[in-house]
Amino acid sequence: MSRRVGVIRFPGTNCEFDTVDAINELGGEAKVVWHGDSDLGDVDAIVIPGGFAHGDYLRCGAIARFSPIMDAVSTFARNGGPVLGICNGFQVLTEAGLLPGALQKNAGLKFLCRMEQIQFASTANVVGLGASVGDLLNIPINHFEGNYVCAKETLKQLEEENRIVFRYTDNPNGSIGDIAGISNKRGNVVGMMPHPERATSMLLGSNDGSSLLQSLLSTERAPSTNENVASTHDERI
Amino acid sequence: MRFEVKIEVLPREGIANPEGSTIERTLPALGFETAGDVRVGKVIRLQVEADSTDTARAIVEDMCDRFLCNPVIEDAIVEVLTA
């Protein structure tokens, strides 16, 4: 049972406390981990929350991979530890080479902040425990660069390997294949643009994010293998 | 020698460039009917210490591959300006 969750905080991160509160409400023990630290401490799962890591300078998430903590996050991920990147956290995971593809500006050139309906396309990952393919969730998005893009071969690979976790039912940002979230091959690393931590109470308009975070808390660490040990750029192209 | 280098980072062919297409749609309003293929990118200028123009270029291209440019969505055009 994953209970202790490290929530990574970069300069410019702004969703860390919402994430900590949401996890603690669900019975987890979340703590904020500073990006300048090189040790994650004793954690069972990691969340890279939303915001503007390092001011989104150069490209969203591009500088974050140089933060000292990211070596530990990469090692944790490659050893099968559950990692969830939300919004800017998703961008950080792609730039760090832990997930393929990139997030470009929304097709409509508008910052979008609203509730979206997404659908589970795969549950073979750390947020899918107890869910079924086809399940519909209402979870808000809050982004300008959420338009997922990848090479055609990568898209084919994601589909064949069952790594598309969520699709939008009404694509808001132009993402290829209506993709709202993907996982790595083993399913222990998930990146998603919608914010589950903001959908954890009916007071917020939806409680559908709770089950995703609960799944992260409950998932066992994937078996440690050498599979998928990619250097920084291997996953990106 | 110290070289001044200009790096142009542009969205790759086939990657949506909403800023470019918005500008393209607007140009005819000023009578510029003949403009097309508008793409907005960014320019990075830097100086680099190297033995030759070729070495300077190679160093900067490596920077682009590994950091300055995301090959999924961007292309980089490297221009070594002056020694």
Side-chain angles (χ1 to χ4, degrees):
Chain A
M1 168 111 178
S2 298
R3 288 178 42 92
R4 291 157 304 177
V5 181
V7 178
I8 312 294
R9 182 191 207 187
F10 300 94
T13 296
N14 63 15
C15 298
E16 69 273 41
F17 297 115
D18 285 356
T19 307
V20 165
D21 284 350
I23 288 165
N24 289 344
E25 276 290 310
L26 292 168
E29 292 166 32
K31 64 166 184 179
V32 171
V33 179
W34 180 238
H35 83 114
D37 294 345
S38 52
D39 187 3
L40 284 164
D42 206 4
V43 297
D44 303 305
I46 293 171
V47 177
I48 304 181
F52 301 85
H54 297 275
D56 273 355
Y57 291 160
L58 190 64
R59 293 179 305 277
C60 306
I63 315 280
R65 76 173 152 103
F66 300 103
S67 285
I69 199 66
M70 285 307 287
D71 281 343
V73 171
S74 293
T75 305
F76 183 84
R78 289 181 172 128
N79 286 334
V83 178
L84 172 62
I86 300 166
C87 197
N88 190 230
F90 184 10
Q91 296 163 341
V92 168
L93 289 173
T94 60
E95 284 285 348
L98 290 168
L99 290 173
L103 283 309
Q104 60 168 329
K105 287 190 179 75
N106 296 339
L109 205 58
K110 281 199 173 124
F111 187 96
L112 298 172
C113 181
R114 64 184 189 217
M115 195 64 89
E116 277 296 327
Q117 190 178 59
I118 58 174
Q119 186 164 33
F120 258 111
S122 168
T123 57
N125 52 67
V126 287
V127 295
L129 206 68
S132 305
V133 171
D135 282 357
L136 294 169
L137 307 166
N138 286 314
I139 299 187
I141 57 168
N142 183 42
H143 60 243
F144 186 39
E145 280 100 349
N147 179 353
Y148 182 77
V149 63
C150 62
K152 273 194 190 112
E153 312 81 71
T154 308
L155 181 64
K156 191 163 169 267
Q157 194 183 5
L158 289 174
E159 279 167 350
E160 283 172 1
E161 293 175 352
N162 207 21
R163 290 165 56 183
I164 297 170
V165 182
F166 301 109
R167 294 187 202 264
Y168 299 106
T169 55
D170 186 11
N171 191 340
N173 55 24
S175 287
I176 191 168
D178 305 322
I179 287 173
I182 58 168
S183 76
N184 66 345
K185 200 169 176 180
R186 278 190 281 169
N188 66 303
V189 178
V190 167
M192 62 188 293
M193 287 313 294
H195 285 262
E197 82 282 7
R198 297 189 192 180
T200 50
S201 159
M202 286 317 288
L203 280 172
L204 300 171
S206 168
N207 194 23
D208 293 349
S210 298
S211 61
L212 309 185
L213 296 174
Q214 190 66 62
S215 167
L216 185 76
L217 290 172
S218 311
T219 306
E220 294 295 332
R221 181 185 280 245
S224 188
T225 68
N226 286 328
E227 171 219 349
N228 231 3
V229 177
S231 69
T232 300
H233 279 227
D234 288 359
E235 278 275 23
R236 240 167 63 163
I237 303 169
Chain B
M1 283 188 287
R2 206 155 178 81
F3 292 89
E4 171 84 16
V5 183
K6 184 173 109 177
I7 305 147
E8 213 175 274
V9 181
L10 281 171
R12 291 188 77 164
E13 195 76 35
I15 292 294
N17 186 210
E19 284 163 294
S21 39
T22 303
I23 291 169
E24 189 168 328
R25 278 198 306 275
T26 315
L27 284 169
L30 290 173
F32 298 109
E33 306 279 354
T34 53
D37 195 24
V38 179
R39 284 161 296 153
V40 175
K42 59 191 155 199
V43 171
I44 300 169
R45 300 281 289 249
L46 57 84
Q47 291 190 352
V48 66
E49 195 72 37
D51 296 338
S52 67
T53 308
D54 286 349
T55 317
R57 175 181 297 280
I59 292 169
V60 174
E61 281 177 351
D62 192 29
M63 277 181 209
C64 290
D65 285 349
R66 294 168 59 194
F67 179 42
L68 298 180
C69 172
N70 183 334
V72 179
I73 50 175
E74 296 167 327
D75 284 325
I77 302 162
V78 175
E79 206 180 327
V80 181
L81 297 173
T82 53

